[in-house]
Amino acid sequence: MNAPLRTRVLDVTTGTDERVLDLTTSCTAFLAEVADGRDGLLNVFVPHATAGIAVIETGAGSDHDLLAALRALLPADDRWEHRHGSHGHGRDHVLPAMVPPHATLPVLGGELALGTWQSVCLVDTNGDNPHRQVRLSFLG
């Protein structure tokens, strides 16, 4: 019998620029190894105070639009009380309130049940930390 909870940690390099990084292929590969055709839930979690997880369309400009919207809502300037790190870094610590550090997604028959244009993405505006970990956990 398979264990009810299976977990894997992905080491991801995001670089020093703002980025929306598509994790869908990694999520699909993980489920192919652990879900064994079962229904359940995939939790995607980034254990960082300055990154988030979004379910969004990619490749058609929405990922760039998301970053533009975040720049408009959270400008990298001196308004932030949280002041360590690079100029405007305080906004990166507000990001997880708008793009949460987690998403829980349905898995049906061992496959991620996303809509046609949906992708699971890491959103990282923090150029001070170019390396991230993402925890994938399947409960089935």
Side-chain angles (χ1 to χ4, degrees):
M1 182 168 169
N2 292 325
L5 179 67
R6 300 288 301 270
T7 297
R8 172 170 299 145
V9 175
L10 306 174
D11 291 310
V12 179
T13 299
T14 55
T16 57
D17 294 326
E18 298 175 332
R19 172 173 273 174
V20 175
L21 183 66
D22 192 340
L23 301 172
T24 309
T25 300
S26 296
C27 293
T28 300
F30 171 67
L31 291 172
E33 292 178 27
V34 303
D36 196 30
R38 294 177 291 158
D39 293 350
L41 297 172
L42 175 68
N43 182 264
V44 183
F45 176 73
V46 56
H48 299 280
T50 59
I53 301 294
V55 178
I56 187 172
E57 178 182 8
T58 60
S62 297
D63 39 350
H64 298 289
D65 291 341
L66 173 60
L67 291 175
L70 290 171
R71 279 191 297 276
L73 289 170
L74 305 171
D77 59 21
D78 291 330
R79 73 184 69 202
W80 309 104
E81 289 187 37
H82 188 108
R83 296 193 183 269
H84 79 81
S86 63
H87 179 75
H89 174 65
R91 66 128 184 195
D92 299 323
H93 287 273
V94 177
L95 172 79
M98 298 186 178
V99 180
H102 58 86
T104 301
L105 306 163
V107 176
L108 300 175
E111 295 185 13
L112 199 51
L114 293 174
T116 302
W117 303 111
Q118 290 179 317
S119 296
V120 181
C121 298
L122 172 65
V123 179
D124 188 358
T125 59
N126 179 6
D128 291 346
N129 187 355
H131 303 289
R132 301 296 187 160
Q133 290 188 327
V134 178
R135 179 175 299 277
L136 305 178
S137 299
F138 172 69
L139 179 63

